[in-house]
Amino acid sequence: MSSLIPLYDPNLFSEIHQLSTFLPRDENEESIRFIFYIASIITAIHCTLYSIVKLWKGSRKENGESSDENGVTSLDAGKASYILTNLLVNLTFGCLGIYYQINIPRGESTMNKIVGYEHAKLFAAGQVGYQLWALPIGLFVVGETKSMCVHHVAVICVGSVSTFIRCGFRYYAPYFYGLVEISSVPLSIVNSFKNNKEWIKSYPQLYSYARLLFAVTFLLVRVVLWTPFYWSSLSTATMLLYSSESTPTMVILTCFNLSGLVLTFLQYFWAGKIISALINGARPKNKQN
């Protein structure tokens, strides 16, 4: 249990508090540039996909294939390109996260979990750039739910701490900012089906498999595995906050902990909806039996 939730060591946390609050200025300036690059690259990918989808949609209209028998348009260029961009970005983060997570030692010291693994801040900075792109697009273009917009803001908050602050808890970065995104890949596929209702009619079994794969991966990486990783991170961050006497550090760690709680609540909230959908989807089969 001590490997999951470390024992409170006042000497250790006192030593950590002697360190500077922020990472060196030149490193943070480099991180800012990296965030800008990531946001710009994702924006370019999105614009390219938007143009491709729009051209494809236009060609289907010319061929008289732009709508089904109910007159429902086959693709909305904005939503479709947003979904495809998310699929590509999440696949990249997810695969990189899996690779890094496999190679992270399990018996790492509490000190290194808190202030070490500076190379892993690329995951956090990448997520900040990604969310800075996704937030305005989701809010003003796609019309995402309020919970997703809150999710974007919360990730920006925790990701900024991991990117710019000395005590960035970057040991957990490959998992929280990378590996968990693998569950969003099947979600993008499901959303593509929802954005094209005729696909569901044409490929109902494939749609069912995509939904099932999403449910399994989400519950596995965002609930089953998320929970021990999160409580390990939260307990360590709470001990660091408790032992701090610096107002800036206390404010930063409070924001970090609260944002983490919001994200965890959202995972459990969405997990509840997924489980409910799985139960409701199984009921007709039970009745037939």
Side-chain angles (χ1 to χ4, degrees):
M1 188 66 176
S2 60
S3 62
L4 179 62
I5 301 179
L7 297 175
Y8 179 70
D9 184 347
N11 294 325
L12 171 64
F13 289 110
S14 177
E15 181 181 352
I16 293 174
H17 287 305
Q18 300 305 312
L19 302 173
S20 59
T21 301
F22 294 90
L23 289 170
R25 181 173 179 176
D26 59 333
E27 292 185 19
N28 283 342
E29 290 177 349
E30 183 179 347
S31 295
I32 291 174
R33 287 193 292 271
F34 182 75
I35 290 171
F36 174 77
Y37 293 151
I38 292 296
S40 299
I41 291 170
I42 295 176
T43 300
I45 292 172
H46 182 212
C47 291
T48 301
L49 290 173
Y50 177 84
S51 299
I52 293 172
V53 170
K54 200 169 183 181
L55 286 172
W56 180 75
K57 181 182 178 181
S59 66
R60 291 196 67 187
K61 280 185 176 181
E62 292 177 1
N63 295 328
E65 300 176 354
S66 61
S67 62
D68 60 16
E69 66 272 19
N70 295 320
V72 181
T73 56
S74 61
L75 277 175
D76 174 81
K79 288 184 179 180
S81 57
Y82 182 72
I83 291 170
L84 289 172
T85 304
N86 279 316
L87 188 152
L88 294 175
V89 174
N90 289 323
L91 181 62
T92 301
F93 273 116
C95 290
L96 289 174
I98 291 172
Y99 173 79
Y100 271 84
Q101 191 61 44
I102 290 174
N103 293 283
I104 286 183
R106 296 295 175 265
E108 192 58 87
S109 66
T110 302
M111 172 70 85
N112 279 340
K113 286 182 178 181
I114 297 175
V115 303
Y117 291 85
E118 286 193 23
H119 63 281
K121 71 179 179 181
L122 293 178
F123 281 98
Q127 274 290 348
V128 172
Y130 175 32
Q131 303 303 328
L132 286 175
W133 164 80
L135 180 60
I137 299 298
L139 189 62
F140 300 112
V141 178
V142 180
E144 283 187 321
T145 62
K146 292 181 180 178
S147 59
M148 273 306 303
C149 292
V150 170
H151 172 271
H152 295 322
V153 174
V155 173
I156 291 172
C157 290
V158 294
S160 296
V161 172
S162 297
T163 302
F164 301 109
I165 306 302
R166 175 75 64 181
C167 301
F169 302 89
R170 287 171 286 273
Y171 172 80
Y172 305 95
Y175 182 82
F176 286 123
Y177 305 125
L179 186 150
V180 297
E181 296 295 0
I182 203 67
S183 68
S184 297
V185 174
L187 174 62
S188 295
I189 297 173
V190 171
N191 286 337
S192 294
F193 271 95
K194 290 181 177 179
N195 199 44
N196 300 272
K197 302 297 184 182
E198 71 276 14
W199 291 6
I200 299 177
K201 295 179 181 178
S202 301
Y203 310 101
Q205 192 170 27
L206 183 59
Y207 177 57
S208 298
Y209 286 153
R211 292 185 63 189
L212 180 60
L213 180 61
F214 164 62
V216 171
T217 55
F218 185 98
L219 294 175
L220 177 61
V221 303
R222 293 184 180 266
V223 177
V224 176
L225 297 178
W226 175 288
T227 300
F229 271 97
Y230 174 68
W231 286 111
S232 176
S233 172
L234 177 64
S235 61
T236 307
T238 301
M239 292 178 191
L240 189 64
L241 173 60
Y242 172 77
S243 60
S244 176
E245 296 180 355
S246 168
T247 300
T249 300
M250 293 172 67
V251 171
I252 291 169
L253 289 174
T254 299
C255 177
F256 181 77
N257 286 347
L258 289 177
S259 297
L261 282 171
V262 169
L263 287 170
T264 301
F265 171 79
L266 287 174
Q267 309 311 314
Y268 294 158
F269 169 72
W270 289 325
K273 297 183 71 173
I274 290 171
I275 293 172
S276 177
L278 288 174
I279 293 173
N280 292 334
R283 281 175 179 169
K285 294 182 179 180
N286 292 336
K287 289 179 180 179
Q288 289 174 5
N289 294 333

